[in-house]
Amino acid sequence: MILPIYVYGQPVLRQVAEDITPDYPNLKELIENMFETMDHADGVGLAAPQIGLPVRVVVINLDVLSEDYPEYKDFRKAYINAHIDVVEGDEVSMEEGCLSLPGIHESVKRGSKIHVRYMDENFVEHNEVVEGFLARVMQHEFDHLDGKMFIDHISPLRKQMIKGKLNTMLKGKARSSYKMKQVK
Ligand SMILES: [Zn+2]
């Protein structure tokens, strides 16, 4: 089922999301719905707060980029209770967008290497050191679990430049090709 994507201004996007336990109701269905919602909106990642749930569940699909990044062929994964312990490596700038910020694309500096821990769909724990594009996507998505959005990482000047677009979202007048839940 395709779910509406919560847009900037929705308080859930600024909440710190909670870890879940294996008895979380309908988890399998939630993950399926998140994949479907992300695919429909042409996203590479989606965090549960973006569909209105303050829990630490994220889906990532890098298969769509496998023409440019062959190492990500068939890469579709769900991450549960994800946390980033260390960010290191060189800071790299790259343009980012976000399904909760339709129409905004800004260059964001992030560390190139991270240490993450999470559980997979079967609640098996993983500890990984991740680099490259996946490290960027994880930082973007896992930020959502801590109530952060990519615009928090841009300069005050750039933030000023996008103020009009943000205000449009706060008025509930943003547009996109997918179903959204705006504040008004
Ligand atoms: Zn996002």
Side-chain angles (χ1 to χ4, degrees), residues 17-180:
E18 300 276 345
D19 282 341
I20 60 166
T21 53
D23 59 0
Y24 187 82
N26 306 322
L27 180 61
K28 198 167 174 269
E29 194 184 340
L30 169 66
I31 290 171
E32 271 171 27
N33 289 342
M34 285 177 67
F35 272 119
E36 200 179 336
T37 301
M38 170 180 66
D39 291 344
H40 173 74
D42 290 325
V44 295
L46 185 72
Q50 294 182 276
I51 52 151
L53 292 177
V55 293
R56 299 187 85 88
V57 179
V58 162
V59 294
I60 292 178
N61 170 20
L62 297 186
D63 182 60
V64 286
L65 306 171
S66 59
E67 261 187 40
D68 295 323
Y69 299 87
E71 66 269 34
Y72 296 137
K73 183 96 190 87
D74 300 323
F75 189 108
R76 277 170 82 80
K77 279 190 188 173
Y79 297 88
I80 294 164
N81 300 346
H83 296 268
I84 295 177
D85 291 322
V86 183
V87 179
E88 58 180 353
D90 299 333
E91 292 235 303
V92 182
S93 280
M94 197 186 256
E95 198 176 83
E96 293 187 17
C98 178
L99 297 175
S100 296
L101 291 161
I104 296 181
H105 295 89
E106 291 289 328
S107 184
V108 180
K109 251 190 207 166
R110 297 194 191 267
S112 57
K113 188 173 176 181
I114 55 173
H115 298 234
V116 286
R117 70 195 140 88
Y118 63 90
M119 290 172 185
D120 60 30
E121 282 160 272
N122 303 313
F123 278 84
V124 175
E125 209 175 321
H126 295 260
N127 278 280
E128 289 175 2
V129 177
V130 178
E131 293 181 77
F133 192 74
L134 178 59
R136 171 169 298 270
V137 175
M138 280 181 163
Q139 287 176 79
H140 177 119
E141 297 308 328
F142 299 171
D143 260 2
H144 279 301
L145 305 179
D146 293 325
K148 294 184 204 146
M149 302 181 87
F150 84 83
I151 52 169
D152 303 339
H153 298 287
I154 66 177
S155 69
L157 177 67
R158 290 305 310 168
K159 191 123 190 216
Q160 189 60 35
M161 305 285 280
I162 60 169
K163 211 171 170 192
K165 284 181 182 169
L166 294 177
N167 282 336
T168 304
M169 291 175 207
L170 294 178
K171 288 181 191 141
K173 294 200 159 64
R175 285 168 184 276
S176 72
S177 60
Y178 45 88
K179 217 179 356 165
M180 293 182 289

